Amino acid sequence: MTLTTNRWQTIRIGVCALLLTGILAETGRALMMPTVDKNKIAATTAKSIQFPTQIPLSDWQLVKNQSIEPSEGKAIGHLYQYRNQENNTVDIQVHYENYAEGNVGRLMMIHGIAPPASALLTIKEQYRTGSYALTSYNNRAYLTACINPVGKATATSEQFTKNKYEHGFGFVRTLGWLAGLNDLVDARCLWTAISISLPAEPSDQLLAEKYQTLETIWSQWYDWWQPNFEKLGKQ
């Protein structure tokens, strides 16, 4: 028993020493090298991202899809437009955020949907898909959220950070970080904004119906992206 215990202690000490050596080496390399420009890394990553030309939604027909080229401070994205038999049109804008902070309100501002503090967000949650935000601005109703590569969807910085450290960090990823293959924590998100038009002064009932339409689409959208997130750039 003592021999077995001593052996495991030796193995644990060896593993800890290996990890400590790697961390010290990585820290020294980081101190010796210039600061990494995440905008440049994001731009390089964007070149490899290829959004699918169509994502199926039941009861909706794709009528338009186009790339949104990245500009300064913005991530590469794509715009999808769908129409149903009642001639209602829904726009879905997505952006591949490589170093996300998870604040969907700020992302709406960055990508030109709504100025700062102009849209009041209502955070909601579905047990299966996670959290999302509902809002209306400029005669449109919106549902917006971050689809994360692991874990559930999030809508606030706090939710995103919690999900990131609960699901985007682990032993295998740490080994990859020590080898310089990836970041220590996965901070990516596929920011999604689904919107539908509103009349100038919609009633509470109409607004609730529009939100329900967006939530139905969101469930399908999330179900498609959750297993397909990692396929971006591999098509």
Side-chain angles (χ1 to χ4, degrees):
M1 179 67 71
T2 303
L3 179 60
T4 302
T5 301
N6 290 337
R7 182 180 301 169
W8 278 111
Q9 288 178 343
T10 301
I11 292 174
R12 284 198 297 269
I13 291 172
V15 171
C16 290
L18 178 63
L19 290 175
L20 180 59
T21 300
I23 291 172
L24 291 175
E26 180 66 18
T27 302
R29 184 172 68 89
L31 292 173
M32 295 297 293
M33 293 178 65
T35 302
V36 175
D37 187 339
K38 290 186 176 181
N39 288 330
K40 291 182 178 180
I41 294 177
T44 302
T45 303
K47 295 179 181 179
S48 66
I49 299 301
Q50 296 181 12
F51 287 92
T53 56
Q54 179 165 333
I55 296 172
L57 296 175
S58 60
D59 302 323
W60 294 86
Q61 182 71 35
L62 182 72
V63 294
K64 177 183 179 182
N65 83 92
Q66 67 181 45
S67 296
I68 303 174
E69 295 301 320
S71 57
E72 185 175 356
K74 298 182 181 180
I76 189 172
H78 206 87
L79 176 65
Y80 301 87
Q81 189 175 86
Y82 294 83
R83 185 174 293 126
N84 64 6
Q85 292 183 345
E86 286 75 37
N87 209 34
N88 294 314
T89 301
V90 166
D91 289 348
I92 305 180
Q93 183 174 337
V94 293
H95 289 270
Y96 183 86
E97 301 287 339
N98 199 29
Y99 291 100
E101 63 176 45
N103 186 332
V104 296
R106 185 170 185 276
L107 288 169
M108 290 182 71
M109 180 269 293
I110 289 174
H111 294 294
I113 291 178
S118 60
L120 179 62
L121 301 179
T122 299
I123 308 300
K124 299 190 69 175
E125 183 175 3
Q126 292 180 355
Y127 175 78
R128 186 176 56 80
T129 65
S131 298
Y132 56 91
L134 296 174
T135 191
S136 60
Y137 176 75
N138 199 23
N139 296 338
R140 296 193 73 82
Y142 289 89
L143 184 153
T144 177
C146 268
I147 299 176
N148 300 296
V150 288
K152 296 181 180 180
T154 56
T156 68
S157 297
E158 293 77 13
Q159 291 172 348
F160 179 78
T161 300
K162 184 174 183 290
N163 182 84
K164 179 175 64 175
Y165 284 106
E166 284 185 353
H167 302 284
F169 175 81
F171 180 72
V172 174
R173 189 167 188 89
T174 300
L175 292 179
W177 171 71
L178 292 173
L181 300 177
N182 52 249
D183 293 326
L184 181 59
V185 180
D186 194 340
R188 296 174 296 159
C189 116
L190 186 68
W191 175 67
T192 296
I194 309 172
S195 67
I196 192 169
S197 63
L198 290 171
E201 296 182 3
S203 65
D204 291 343
Q205 179 179 349
L206 177 60
L207 185 58
E209 290 174 357
K210 295 294 186 180
Y211 283 154
Q212 187 173 24
T213 297
L214 297 180
E215 288 171 329
T216 301
I217 294 172
W218 161 247
S219 293
Q220 296 184 55
W221 188 260
Y222 178 89
D223 286 344
W224 192 92
W225 274 111
Q226 186 55 221
N228 288 290
F229 191 108
E230 296 297 348
K231 293 181 181 179
L232 282 175
K234 297 180 181 180
Q235 300 175 0

